[in-house]
Amino acid sequence: MALLRTESLTKAFGALTAVNGVTLEVQAGTLHSIIGPNGAGKTTLFNLLTGQFPPTSGRIVFDGRDITGTPAHRIAHLGLARSFQRTNVFPALSILDNVWIAAFARGRSWRGLVWRRSDGYAEVTERARVALADVGLADKADQPAREISHGEQRQLELAIALAAAPRVLLLDEPAAGLSPDETQKMVALVRGLKGRYTIVLIEHKMDIIMGVSDRVSVMHFGSLIAEGTPAEIQRNPEVRRAYLGGMVAE
């Protein structure tokens, strides 16, 4: 049974249907990529999955539970964590503090925070440090986030998502804006997480998609037009016409 699935999921903004009847299944433990041209509806789909937008119609089912319309903060507590296209960190805080906040927020209650020092939450601090180690930033834990490179900020955002102890990790273009060397490092990080987490990935760089994915779904004008293994997607003529074009060798 799929860990995460959608059933005829639709989101309309007035006359624009950004996501149109999408039925998708993500199997536990897999890396499932979603590709498509700009404006295909990929990020809107992520916004629906994480409770940023309510759907116009259709259902979202997570681990057998209907979570359609569940607000974003409850979605995070259920175990869906997300990174964004644009880096979203607190620049004045240390790297560790950025991740510590995410780890603490995953707890059941904020009660008692005003009465205890943050260093009194040993289990939260340990989870934050483990997340930093997972992304290769453990040795920079005390450095302010504003002082690290763009690539390292993307790694930090990934650590923030991991600190929330997710069952499903939704990554929205984690390699966006990265140099070739930074991209290679990010790909290695995602490969290292594969199998430990169920991952849903949006990415425009086809070499990444074809190199790390178990399954690939293709969106075009809000609809799913194809799904399969990377090799099947490479051979699909409709995908070639809609998106890949000459980027994939004959």
Side-chain angles (χ1 to χ4, degrees):
M1 184 176 71
L3 179 59
L4 176 66
R5 75 176 191 272
T6 67
E7 299 174 1
S8 301
L9 196 64
T10 298
K11 180 62 180 180
F13 299 95
L16 171 66
T17 301
V19 173
N20 186 15
V22 169
T23 295
L24 177 72
E25 291 194 350
V26 178
Q27 303 299 321
T30 64
L31 193 155
H32 194 126
S33 292
I34 301 173
I35 66 173
N38 288 330
K42 306 180 299 297
T43 295
T44 301
L45 177 62
F46 264 30
N47 287 334
L48 294 172
L49 294 174
T50 54
Q52 304 294 320
F53 297 153
T56 303
S57 62
R59 293 206 310 156
I60 304 169
V61 180
F62 177 52
D63 197 18
R65 173 179 177 178
D66 189 335
I67 62 169
T68 311
T70 301
H73 70 279
R74 288 295 308 144
I75 293 286
H77 277 263
L78 291 173
L80 279 79
R82 177 196 182 169
S83 73
F84 292 82
Q85 288 182 18
R86 294 182 179 179
T87 303
N88 188 25
V89 301
F90 296 107
L93 296 182
S94 73
I95 289 173
L96 177 60
D97 285 344
N98 268 274
V99 183
W100 191 96
I101 290 169
F104 182 81
R106 182 64 171 83
R108 294 190 175 186
S109 173
W110 289 78
R111 185 179 302 169
L113 180 60
V114 294
W115 307 113
R116 294 171 60 184
R117 290 164 52 92
S118 63
D119 56 12
Y121 293 86
E123 73 286 353
V124 176
T125 302
E126 177 61 21
R127 192 156 72 243
R129 290 192 181 278
V130 168
L132 285 177
D134 279 344
V135 302
L137 291 177
D139 61 338
K140 297 190 176 184
D142 297 324
Q143 193 168 341
R146 63 170 171 259
E147 295 182 0
I148 61 178
S149 69
H150 175 64
E152 289 170 330
Q153 287 189 2
R154 299 297 288 179
Q155 292 169 240
L156 173 56
E157 189 170 62
L158 182 54
I160 289 170
L162 294 177
R167 298 182 62 196
V168 176
L169 188 60
L170 300 131
L171 304 179
D172 194 350
E173 294 191 47
L178 299 188
S179 69
D181 287 345
E182 290 170 334
T183 296
Q184 287 184 5
K185 181 178 287 189
M186 180 59 69
V187 171
L189 288 176
V190 173
R191 279 204 180 100
L193 298 172
K194 185 178 175 181
R196 295 172 54 193
Y197 299 90
T198 300
I199 300 174
V200 185
L201 173 67
I202 293 175
E203 182 52 66
H204 278 291
K205 298 176 180 178
M206 289 299 101
D207 54 339
I208 296 176
I209 290 294
M210 298 306 169
V212 303
S213 305
D214 296 307
R215 302 285 293 178
V216 180
S217 295
V218 185
M219 292 187 70
H220 192 48
F221 292 119
S223 300
L224 281 184
I225 62 170
E227 183 179 310
T229 65
E232 289 169 342
I233 293 301
Q234 285 179 308
R235 295 192 298 266
N236 187 298
E238 188 174 2
V239 174
R240 286 171 175 268
R241 286 192 298 269
Y243 182 42
L244 298 178
M247 289 190 291
V248 178
E250 294 289 346

